[in-house]
Amino acid sequence: MPVVVGTGFSASSDVVTGVDGAAREALDGLGGAPCDVAVVFVAGELVTQPEAVLGRVRGVLDPGELVGATAGGLVAGGREYEQGEGVVVWAISLGEDAAAEVFELHTTEVEGGLALSGIPAVEIGTTSAVLLLADTSRLPIEPTLQAFEEHLPGVPIVGGVPSLVPPDGRPLLRDVGPSEAAALGVRFEGVEVLPLVSQGARPIGPELAVTAGEGGIIHQLAGRPAIDALRDAIDGLTGEDREQIRHGLLLGLVVQTGQPEYGSGDFVVRGLAGADPETGAVAIGAPVTVGQIARLHVRDPASATAELEEALRIRRAATGSGDIAGALAFTCNGRGQDMFGVEDHDAAIIQRELGPLPLAGMIAAGEIGPVGGHAFAHGFTATLAVFLA
């Protein structure tokens, strides 16, 4: 049997009619196939009733695994409900030759920091993709993603950070209620997943090589103190680029060096976290290596739209003659109407370029996805996991 995805949505805050309706809609989308995994995103008043929500979903779908998160907004079909109220249910039947396993990540305090436990110990090559829902108030996300690279090299990791924390402080959901885990993951085997990260930032100014740096600190760019090199790069900007950079200084770091030229999709984009005027060093929320190429970036709606459209077209071409079963979406709460001035921007483009397809997800407070084959945490992105049939 092929992979089948069903989705359902309700804007009602009533557990019985709203959640039941969304779960039954997802069940209908499965067309009689069993539900192996259900993912639930809950918004509005329903975040205070997680046990009731999960109980209703389980009663309708009888999923093999059930995970979810609370969210400030929801993605359903071709719509984005930025001021979320209700529930969206995403259900997948994996067929006979695929499988899924839910795992939990936990952190414990040790001398000198935190110890992470729970990354699946499985044979390399058996995992095709990982869905990760992370509570970053309990989890150092970048070191966690680096640990995944060591244990599951080459595996695409896609997910998001809950954008609404309920009164009990537990935004992650599993089985029958809130989870104490720092992150919930679903490890897939035997199902093909195409990841997508559209960062929506445009490179400007000159390329600058990191000539001294370690950890998340850049000491020198192009042989000069990083602050001086960036100041000169900004002074060299003109017109619209100079105006847009007033809204926030962003720096992109090339993930895979050695290419003849670099475009938007080759950089992982970060805001500057701080600077030291005495040493000229700057702090950036990503690990740096000597020789890496850095370049200033700006966010603008036109670039973000074009990048998302192009990334989706590439994924459509990558499917070849295969069908798309459905997709999970994580789009930043900094995008939406505030960035584009229109409703449903990302969801509508996804449906236009890939659809019609079963699509569900959440408006996230951070997104997780690969750039240049390496997993990163992002902001202001539209991130997608496309499941092939």
Side-chain angles (χ1 to χ4, degrees):
M1 290 178 59
V3 174
V4 182
V5 172
T7 61
F9 167 76
S10 172
S12 172
S13 59
D14 183 85
V15 173
V16 176
T17 59
V19 178
D20 268 24
R24 292 189 185 284
E25 186 181 351
L27 181 66
D28 290 343
L30 293 180
C35 178
D36 294 303
V37 180
V39 183
V40 181
F41 299 109
V42 186
E45 294 181 14
L46 287 177
V47 304
T48 63
Q49 306 175 68
E51 294 89 351
V53 170
L54 295 176
R56 288 286 174 178
V57 172
R58 182 167 290 285
V60 172
L61 283 167
D62 189 25
E65 299 282 6
L66 175 58
V67 298
T70 56
L74 305 171
V75 177
R79 299 294 308 277
E80 296 170 27
Y81 302 88
E82 297 182 53
Q83 304 301 320
E85 180 71 59
V87 62
V88 62
V89 180
W90 185 91
I92 187 168
S93 180
L94 298 171
E96 298 177 356
D97 299 323
E101 172 196 16
V102 170
F103 61 90
E104 297 185 354
L105 299 184
H106 292 268
T107 56
T108 53
E109 292 187 7
V110 297
E111 186 176 353
L114 294 173
L116 176 69
S117 62
I119 293 180
V122 296
E123 184 179 347
I124 292 176
T126 60
T127 304
S128 56
V130 167
L131 166 67
L132 192 65
L133 304 175
D135 179 358
T136 52
S137 69
R138 308 182 186 198
L139 186 78
I141 188 64
E142 291 290 357
T144 297
L145 295 177
Q146 292 175 27
F148 267 97
E149 290 218 349
E150 296 174 5
H151 289 80
L152 298 172
V155 173
I157 302 172
V158 176
V161 177
S163 51
L164 186 152
V165 178
D168 70 358
R170 295 181 293 174
L172 302 180
L173 311 173
R174 183 179 183 189
D175 289 335
V176 296
S179 172
E180 298 288 349
L184 293 175
V186 184
R187 188 181 65 84
F188 292 95
E189 293 184 6
V191 57
E192 189 171 358
V193 180
L194 300 179
L196 178 153
V197 175
S198 177
Q199 298 188 86
R202 175 168 55 88
I204 58 173
E207 294 181 355
L208 301 166
V210 177
T211 47
E214 58 183 351
I217 306 297
I218 301 176
H219 296 288
Q220 292 184 358
L221 289 168
R224 303 175 58 210
I227 289 178
D228 294 342
L230 291 176
R231 185 180 294 117
D232 287 350
I234 294 169
D235 289 343
L237 299 176
T238 58
E240 183 181 358
D241 290 344
R242 190 176 184 85
E243 179 62 29
Q244 285 186 312
I245 209 165
R246 297 178 187 272
H247 300 294
L249 186 58
L250 303 172
L251 194 66
L253 293 169
V254 167
V255 178
Q256 290 185 326
T257 59
Q259 302 178 53
E261 59 182 27
Y262 303 107
S264 297
D266 298 314
F267 294 87
V268 58
V269 180
R270 292 288 187 266
L272 293 188
D276 184 344
E278 292 187 6
T279 65
V282 296
I284 185 167
V288 299
T289 58
V290 173
Q292 215 168 5
I293 300 299
R295 193 174 179 188
L296 291 171
H297 278 65
V298 292
R299 300 195 192 281
D300 69 85
S303 297
T305 299
E307 183 181 343
L308 178 58
E309 290 173 339
E310 177 63 18
L312 288 166
R313 289 167 188 158
I314 291 172
R315 298 315 182 279
R316 167 57 78 183
T319 66
S321 59
D323 293 329
I324 296 175
L328 273 168
F330 302 88
T331 184
C332 182
N333 54 12
R335 291 171 70 97
Q337 292 191 67
D338 285 345
M339 184 172 186
F340 300 104
V342 297
E343 296 180 345
D344 311 321
H345 178 273
D346 293 340
I349 292 177
I350 292 168
Q351 289 289 5
R352 187 179 72 227
E353 298 295 338
L354 296 184
L357 80 163
L359 174 69
M362 71 172 175
I363 310 296
E367 307 79 58
I368 300 166
V371 174
H374 301 276
F376 293 96
H378 307 277
F380 288 92
T381 71
T383 296
L384 200 64
V386 180
F387 289 74
L388 302 189

